[in-house]
Amino acid sequence: MLPPFKIFAGTKSEYMAKEICKDLGVELGKMNILHFADGEFEVSFEESIRGCEVFLVQSTFPNSDNLMELLLMIDAAKRASAASIIAVMPYFGWARQDRKDKPRVSIAAKLVADLLSTAGVDRVICMDLHADQIQGFFNVPVDHLYASSVFIPYIESLHLQDMVIATPDVGGAKRANNYAKYFDVPLVLCHKQRAKANVVASMTVIGDVKDKNVILIDDMVDTAGTITKAADLMMSEGAKSVRALCSHAIMSDPASDRVNDCSIEEMIFTNSIPYTGSCRKCTILSVARLFADTIRRVHENQSISSQYLI
């Protein structure tokens, strides 16, 4: 007999947890977060979770309170005798620091993985990690989902002719290549050189975009400097249109203004992060059903292979 399961949500991911619960036909668990005057906070579950399989829904986007909140949720669940604790992280933050690319820097993605393991997590469910190898930073099972399961049907609904798949930087070539293979269309690369973090110095297009409908693929958009520069460059090279598919809408200022002012016809995100900006070109696709189905399969010890379109 399977243990009962319950779903709880961190403060900034409650919107996602409610959608997941609605799809699963269950109630969102009751939890309280008490804030002290100095900024410290305390997490407590307001119902028994003894012997339960507990799913904690929380993306760890800035600020760091979201990560700390998740760590405290895991610790509280462990101390409340939960049978197992699964962190459901639609967006896994701190993932851009996945290696030492210069001397004397931290590897934050590994540190966060260690923090989650030390807190007591038994499994992690996440989506579109910045680098696939981050799965190996964990000593617990990681179910790495892909937003392609919602993006591909959306692309197909556009019925675009003369389509090409593109990536705004070489680092995303593997991800974009999977889409290009699926649709059997050409792949175009952008090569960029950065002046410093979040600042692009120069960019060149590798491939033919003339008279093509371009779909830019990326995992996250922060300040939107790279993706808007790539879109403008491709339009200057003769592209018919440029759309962008990006899993995580970090959208730090001045990203919304940049997207509004650039050549991108449409910017498509998932709701892994709550987007509160004002960008008339943004379309938000929900991944709640993807996570709900994965939670159901994990709880029932079923395969999740069918979740992967590419």
Side-chain angles (χ1 to χ4, degrees):
M1 183 177 295
L2 295 172
F5 77 94
K6 294 186 178 183
I7 298 174
F8 297 88
T11 304
K12 295 294 178 67
S13 295
E14 189 172 337
Y15 73 98
M16 173 72 78
K18 286 180 176 178
E19 282 192 55
I20 291 172
C21 287
K22 183 178 180 181
D23 196 76
L24 289 171
V26 299
E27 293 290 328
L28 182 63
K30 296 179 178 63
M31 193 181 72
N32 183 52
I33 299 178
L34 173 66
H35 289 264
F36 299 99
D38 63 351
E40 186 179 327
F41 49 89
E42 175 188 270
V43 171
S44 62
F45 293 96
E46 300 300 303
E47 58 186 87
S48 174
I49 56 173
R50 184 179 295 273
C52 294
E53 192 170 44
V54 175
F55 292 86
L56 305 175
V57 182
Q58 178 75 313
S59 288
T60 55
F61 54 95
N63 62 39
S64 55
D65 280 1
N66 293 308
L67 172 59
M68 190 65 190
E69 197 174 279
L70 176 58
L71 293 171
L72 292 176
M73 289 163 66
I74 295 168
D75 185 68
K78 179 178 67 175
R79 297 177 189 280
S81 301
S84 62
I85 303 164
I86 297 95
V88 181
M89 306 171 69
Y91 172 71
F92 180 87
W94 309 90
R96 281 172 283 189
Q97 302 171 58
D98 63 330
R99 66 196 184 282
K100 286 187 69 174
D101 56 355
K102 59 182 180 180
R104 299 176 295 281
V105 295
S106 63
I107 304 179
K110 171 59 175 168
L111 174 61
V112 171
D114 288 343
L115 288 170
L116 291 167
S117 297
T118 300
V121 77
D122 295 298
R123 177 183 290 269
V124 172
I125 302 174
C126 56
M127 183 185 76
D128 279 1
L129 291 168
H130 187 63
D132 287 348
Q133 64 265 24
I134 291 173
Q135 298 172 71
F137 293 176
F138 288 89
N139 293 318
V140 297
V142 176
D143 294 315
H144 185 204
L145 308 180
Y146 296 95
S148 57
S149 61
V150 295
F151 282 156
I152 284 176
Y154 188 82
I155 296 173
E156 291 172 337
S157 72
L158 298 175
H159 303 292
L160 295 175
Q161 302 297 317
D162 300 315
M163 186 172 74
V164 297
I165 298 295
T167 175
D169 58 51
V170 177
K174 180 182 177 183
R175 181 182 296 106
N177 187 51
N178 289 335
Y179 282 84
K181 282 183 177 180
Y182 183 89
F183 288 106
D184 193 23
V185 298
L187 174 67
V188 173
L189 303 177
C190 283
H191 175 65
K192 69 179 179 183
Q193 292 180 318
R194 286 194 182 274
K196 57 182 179 179
N198 291 129
V199 177
V200 179
S202 64
M203 181 178 287
T204 55
V205 175
I206 305 171
D208 181 21
V209 295
K210 185 174 176 57
D211 297 324
K212 304 292 185 182
N213 289 302
V214 180
I215 303 290
L216 278 165
I217 306 291
D218 210 351
D219 67 310
M220 65 173 70
V221 174
D222 190 353
T223 61
T226 298
I227 205 158
T228 55
K229 191 176 183 70
D232 290 341
L233 182 58
M234 288 180 179
M235 289 299 291
S236 71
E237 298 258 336
K240 285 183 185 177
S241 67
V242 180
R243 290 174 173 82
L245 295 177
C246 305
S247 305
H248 309 297
I250 301 174
M251 295 294 279
S252 308
D253 286 335
S256 295
D257 291 337
R258 282 178 172 171
V259 174
N260 279 329
D261 296 339
C262 78
S263 303
I264 289 177
E265 187 169 316
E266 185 181 17
M267 177 79 81
I268 303 107
F269 292 116
T270 75
N271 62 341
S272 63
I273 296 175
Y275 175 58
T276 57
S278 55
C279 179
R280 64 182 182 274
K281 297 180 180 180
C282 287
T283 299
I284 308 297
L285 305 179
S286 176
V287 289
R289 179 159 293 179
L290 171 65
F291 279 94
D293 192 40
T294 302
I295 288 172
R296 183 187 296 114
R297 289 168 183 268
V298 167
H299 175 65
E300 296 175 356
N301 296 316
Q302 295 179 1
S303 170
I304 66 167
S305 298
S306 61
Q307 301 288 74
Y308 302 105
L309 292 183
I310 58 174

